[in-house]
Amino acid sequence: MASLFLLHVVSLVLLLSKTPMLSASPTSLSLPSVLKPGSSLSVENKDDFLISPNGLFTAGFYSVGENAYCFSVWFTKPLADESHTIVWMANRDVPVNGKRSKLSLLKTGNLVLRDAAQPLPIWTTNIIDSKEPAQLVMNDTGNLYLINKENQVIWQSFGSPTDTLLPLQQLTKDTPLVSSRSLTNYSSGFYKLYFDNDNVIRLVYNGPRVSGVYWPNPMITAWASGRSTFASRRTASLDLNGHFVSSDSLIFNTSDSENQAVRRLTADVDGNFRAYSLDETRGIWKVTWQAIADTCRVHGICGENSTCSIGPNHGRKCSCIPNHTMINQTDWSYGCRPKFNKTLCGNGEDEFLHFLHFDFFGYEARFVPNVTLDECKKVCLGICNCKGFHFNYETNGVFSCYTKFRLLNGFRTVDSNGSMYLKVPKSIRLSSNNKNFVHGDSLVCSEKLPTIRIDRAYEKNPKNESVKSLMIFTYVFGALEAICFIYFFYRTRNPLRTTQGYIQAATGFQRFSYAELKKATNDFSKEIGRGGGGIVYKGEFSNNRVAAVKLLKEFSNHQGEGELLAEISTLGRLNHMNFNSVYLRQL
């Protein structure tokens, strides 16, 4: 019994030795800037990272929320506020768990990111499996790349940017930049910098409900914007000295060009495209160039039924139009909703509120040139989905009417030659100079949103579960064997219980030894019956007496033995001419 228990203990140790363990830090096995084939970086080991030889860039797991991590590349040195500037992310839209997640470099040359030991990877480089191993290298330019034995780069982070271009990194038709959702939410946002089909670099707003290009100005041609649509290829890059050159003739120098500085180009969360230089003394990034000077011209920044304005005191600011309220108090991109119910179309219950120097770009239901104000009102009242119109002065005393079926991209500017007329029910009484146009719902624009959390269910690994079940069974079975061993040891060494049967049935019985009973029953071979308490054998003694010998089963509580003793004690006291003597031997 003890040997069996020991066997189970040994088997348990073997099972534990085969349980998958978290990988060790590769830094002890290779250079800090290189990850070798078969190695991995663990999210749980804070020392698992790659660092460029010049120390400028670090690659590893970066915390993006509550128990949420993305494998990223960032500037090693923190800013004045102790934050780090991220320049690339592998899994920006699918963060991994802070337990048991790791990035592994397979011996086939593939780089695989797994989330908490789930069977399917979250992200992979999708390299065709090869017999030639590759190394993962973090270089001085911020490029993370895989290189094989022939010194061929088979994958690089520069080929799949997120929202940032580093010096010498190329923007191509296949590598657009997509902004982050906010300053604290690094998932894909609504703004994209890309090469359009006409070979021109553009900024586009891809919102949840609408989309539209806003840079360069879509109201003028590419030629008028100084761009060229003729190019043999679509490429653009920033050099180390701050010179930007694009195949569409977009060329600029940063304000600190020719100076040696740490630089980056970023599609920002507010929809602008900017160049930055690091002020290492103050620990901040300085803007050295930007695509759009008037940031209120960025589409989608304030959402539907709201306007954007810029002031010397508050900077850029979003406000709901009159009798509207914010949909999401933390995010202006959701816009505003009306506080009133719409009237029936054409019932004559609508009127117009006049707002000077306001306009909403795009989404015209109808354009009517050379009209009067009254004619423009009639046009809008005749269109059920018309929400208002822009009445604009053109030239030579001529006005044009732009009816709107959606109030998006609103902005206020003194340069406007027209006014906005908002269609509302007559029951709403507001004057044209009503101050509620920037009333209490207006908030200073903020790109900060609550940090993200992983909202994802994790499937249990069947292989791990089977191992756990086997381990639990081994523990329980071993414990039961130990209990049985202790009980057997205690029972076989208690003389009181081994003689108790003789004491209870000592009166009226003749005792036989086990050897005598074994000989009489011919080694218990002549079975004549059986019951719940044991088997009955035929026995013949040396004096020719024939007897029935009952061999009891073992019971943990001696219930069968007690019942038999009670029966034969009664029979032992009976006297009858047809009843022979009773003999007893406890085995």
Side-chain angles (χ1 to χ4, degrees):
M1 185 75 69
S3 61
L4 288 176
F5 179 71
L6 180 60
L7 178 62
H8 284 292
V9 173
V10 173
S11 64
L12 176 60
V13 173
L14 291 175
L15 283 172
L16 289 175
S17 66
K18 294 180 180 180
T19 303
M21 302 296 290
L22 296 175
S23 62
S25 172
T27 56
S28 61
L29 304 176
S30 62
L31 294 174
S33 60
V34 178
L35 184 68
K36 293 185 176 180
S39 301
S40 61
L41 300 175
S42 171
V43 69
E44 294 182 276
N45 192 337
K46 302 306 178 184
D47 295 327
D48 271 10
F49 56 83
L50 302 178
I51 187 168
S52 61
N54 63 2
L56 187 60
F57 298 97
T58 298
F61 285 95
Y62 191 88
S63 175
V64 297
E66 183 179 339
N67 194 38
Y69 291 81
C70 291
F71 189 81
S72 313
V73 175
W74 63 86
F75 285 99
T76 304
K77 187 177 180 179
L79 300 177
D81 61 358
E82 298 301 321
S83 66
H84 288 87
T85 304
I86 297 175
V87 298
W88 179 80
M89 279 187 168
N91 55 315
R92 66 189 304 192
D93 295 318
V94 191
V96 297
N97 198 296
K99 299 291 184 182
R100 302 181 66 188
S101 300
K102 62 181 179 179
L103 180 84
S104 302
L105 178 57
L106 306 182
K107 293 183 178 180
T108 58
N110 240 329
L111 198 60
V112 175
L113 176 61
R114 295 190 182 277
D115 179 23
Q118 294 297 296
L120 297 178
I122 289 294
W123 174 87
T124 177
T125 52
N126 291 320
I127 302 298
I128 298 176
D129 287 349
S130 169
K131 293 182 179 179
E132 297 182 358
Q135 289 185 338
L136 182 66
V137 181
M138 178 82 258
N139 72 3
D140 289 340
T141 65
N143 190 17
L144 186 69
Y145 60 92
L146 286 171
I147 186 170
N148 59 21
K149 287 185 176 181
E150 285 73 30
N151 288 327
Q152 295 176 336
V153 176
I154 58 177
W155 174 88
Q156 57 180 334
S157 61
F158 272 17
S160 56
T162 49
D163 63 348
T164 297
L165 278 180
L166 294 172
L168 307 181
Q169 180 180 3
Q170 285 196 341
L171 178 74
T172 70
K173 65 181 181 65
D174 299 319
T175 59
L177 301 184
V178 179
S179 69
S180 295
R181 186 66 184 87
S182 74
L183 292 178
T184 56
N185 185 343
Y186 299 96
S187 58
S188 298
F190 298 144
Y191 298 100
K192 181 170 73 171
L193 179 80
Y194 72 110
F195 271 103
D196 208 343
N197 292 330
D198 61 355
N199 301 325
V200 174
I201 292 179
R202 301 187 188 277
L203 281 170
V204 62
Y205 170 69
N206 285 322
R209 299 176 62 184
V210 296
S211 64
V213 172
Y214 58 91
W215 181 80
N217 189 343
M219 300 300 293
I220 60 178
T221 64
W223 283 101
S225 301
R227 306 292 186 88
S228 172
T229 58
F230 301 101
S232 59
R233 58 176 184 169
R234 285 172 272 184
T235 59
S237 64
L238 178 73
D239 67 15
L240 295 172
N241 295 321
H243 305 300
F244 181 88
V245 178
S246 173
S247 58
D248 70 343
S249 298
L250 173 63
I251 300 174
F252 66 82
N253 295 327
T254 61
S255 61
D256 63 346
S257 60
E258 304 302 335
N259 294 336
Q260 294 295 323
V262 177
R263 307 179 188 276
R264 64 182 172 94
L265 283 167
T266 301
D268 282 327
V269 297
D270 64 353
N272 212 339
F273 180 48
R274 296 184 177 95
Y276 292 91
S277 293
L278 180 62
D279 185 339
E280 298 189 43
T281 303
R282 300 168 58 191
I284 61 172
W285 289 98
K286 299 187 301 183
V287 177
T288 56
W289 178 88
Q290 61 180 359
I292 303 172
D294 185 358
T295 54
C296 277
R297 298 303 178 99
V298 176
H299 288 191
I301 200 67
C302 290
E304 192 170 6
N305 300 321
S306 64
T307 61
C308 177
S309 61
I310 298 177
N313 296 325
H314 57 71
R316 190 180 64 193
K317 185 177 183 179
C318 296
S319 305
C320 291
I321 61 177
N323 286 86
H324 287 67
T325 184
M326 287 184 67
I327 295 176
N328 187 327
Q329 297 295 324
T330 64
D331 192 348
W332 269 109
S333 66
Y334 288 87
C336 307
R337 68 166 67 93
K339 296 180 180 179
F340 55 85
N341 295 324
K342 295 181 180 180
T343 59
L344 296 175
C345 183
N347 63 355
E349 295 297 322
D350 292 323
E351 63 179 2
F352 294 92
L353 299 178
H354 176 215
F355 300 101
L356 189 63
H357 302 308
F358 277 91
D359 192 9
F360 291 84
F361 183 87
Y363 302 96
E364 284 81 15
R366 185 178 175 186
F367 167 68
V368 183
N370 195 15
V371 294
T372 64
L373 179 61
D374 289 338
E375 290 173 337
C376 190
K377 289 181 179 180
K378 289 181 180 179
V379 172
C380 184
L381 290 173
I383 302 175
C384 293
N385 66 345
C386 178
K387 293 188 175 182
F389 63 89
H390 187 254
F391 192 63
N392 192 64
Y393 176 76
E394 305 294 348
T395 56
N396 300 324
V398 176
F399 288 84
S400 296
C401 178
Y402 299 83
T403 61
K404 308 284 184 177
F405 67 90
R406 226 170 194 171
L407 300 180
L408 278 164
N409 311 316
F411 60 95
R412 183 175 186 173
T413 173
V414 295
D415 298 331
S416 175
N417 293 326
S419 298
M420 187 68 198
Y421 290 82
L422 179 65
K423 185 168 75 171
V424 295
K426 288 182 178 180
S427 57
I428 297 176
R429 302 296 179 184
L430 291 177
S431 62
S432 60
N433 61 351
N434 191 287
K435 295 182 180 180
N436 283 337
F437 201 88
V438 286
H439 63 302
D441 270 345
S442 62
L443 299 175
V444 175
C445 293
S446 173
E447 288 80 19
K448 288 191 175 182
L449 292 175
T451 54
I452 62 174
R453 297 180 59 185
I454 293 183
D455 186 17
R456 178 165 64 252
Y458 288 88
E459 297 180 358
K460 294 183 178 180
N461 191 322
K463 182 178 179 181
N464 290 343
E465 290 301 311
S466 61
V467 173
K468 290 180 181 178
S469 300
L470 185 57
M471 291 172 63
I472 293 173
F473 173 78
T474 305
Y475 274 123
V476 174
F477 190 77
L480 290 176
E481 281 197 327
I483 293 173
C484 293
F485 177 78
I486 294 172
Y487 176 78
F488 177 77
F489 179 82
Y490 172 75
R491 182 163 181 247
T492 55
R493 282 161 176 76
N494 191 334
L496 179 62
R497 298 192 62 88
T498 57
T499 59
Q500 190 68 24
Y502 292 112
I503 298 173
Q504 290 178 343
T507 305
F509 292 101
Q510 180 180 348
R511 299 179 183 179
F512 294 91
S513 67
Y514 177 79
E516 292 174 323
L517 294 177
K518 184 177 181 181
K519 180 179 179 182
T521 58
N522 194 18
D523 197 17
F524 301 97
S525 61
K526 301 177 181 179
E527 181 179 337
I528 59 175
R530 63 174 58 222
I535 304 174
V536 182
Y537 298 92
K538 179 182 178 181
E540 295 181 6
F541 293 91
S542 58
N543 57 2
N544 294 325
R545 284 182 178 271
V546 178
V549 179
K550 187 172 186 179
L551 181 62
L552 292 180
K553 293 181 179 178
E554 286 196 16
F555 290 87
S556 61
N557 57 3
H558 296 274
Q559 180 180 358
E561 179 183 347
E563 292 177 356
L564 179 64
L565 290 175
E567 293 174 0
I568 61 179
S569 294
T570 303
L571 294 174
R573 291 175 172 83
L574 294 179
N575 292 308
H576 194 275
M577 62 180 182
N578 295 329
F579 192 82
N580 291 328
S581 300
V582 179
Y583 303 88
L584 173 64
R585 170 64 182 176
Q586 182 180 9
L587 301 179

